[in-house]
Amino acid sequence: MQKSIFKKENELSIFCGIHLAVIIFSIGRQPILFGTPDVETIVQQFVEANHPIAPRFYMKMKKNEEEKKEKGKSIEDNITH
């Protein structure tokens, strides 16, 4: 089954002219990695791309939301006092 998944990944990568990574997690086993050109490069590009679900972007978004909440609280405090 893994072989057919990797074959389809490779075909899709070539057909669409894109980079793809497949990571299969299995209970109690090492993850199985396959990518075109390679998984590490693709994951690094993903993280650096500021993709909405990339960890760095997520943390930045979360920080901005917290700052907005704090700013809103301070405005409310000033109004009530």
Side-chain angles (χ1 to χ4, degrees), residues 41-56:
T41 300
I42 296 166
V43 169
Q44 188 63 36
Q45 288 173 347
F46 176 77
V47 169
E48 291 175 357
N50 287 331
H51 190 277
I53 59 174
R56 187 178 357 176

Side-chain angles (χ1 to χ4, degrees), residues 39-76:
V39 175
E40 291 82 12
T41 300
I42 296 166
V43 169
Q44 188 63 36
Q45 288 173 347
F46 176 77
V47 169
E48 291 175 357
N50 287 331
H51 190 277
I53 59 174
R56 187 178 357 176
F57 183 80
Y58 173 77
M59 293 306 292
K60 187 177 179 182
M61 234 174 54
K62 188 173 179 179
K63 182 181 176 186
N64 287 342
E65 286 179 19
E66 289 172 359
E67 288 173 354
K68 286 179 185 177
K69 285 180 185 177
E70 287 299 317
K71 190 175 183 180
K73 285 180 184 176
S74 64
I75 291 171
E76 288 175 14

Side-chain angles (χ1 to χ4, degrees), residues 11-24:
E11 290 171 356
L12 185 60
S13 175
I14 293 168
F15 181 71
C16 297
I18 58 175
H19 294 171
L20 289 174
V22 175
I23 304 172
I24 301 173

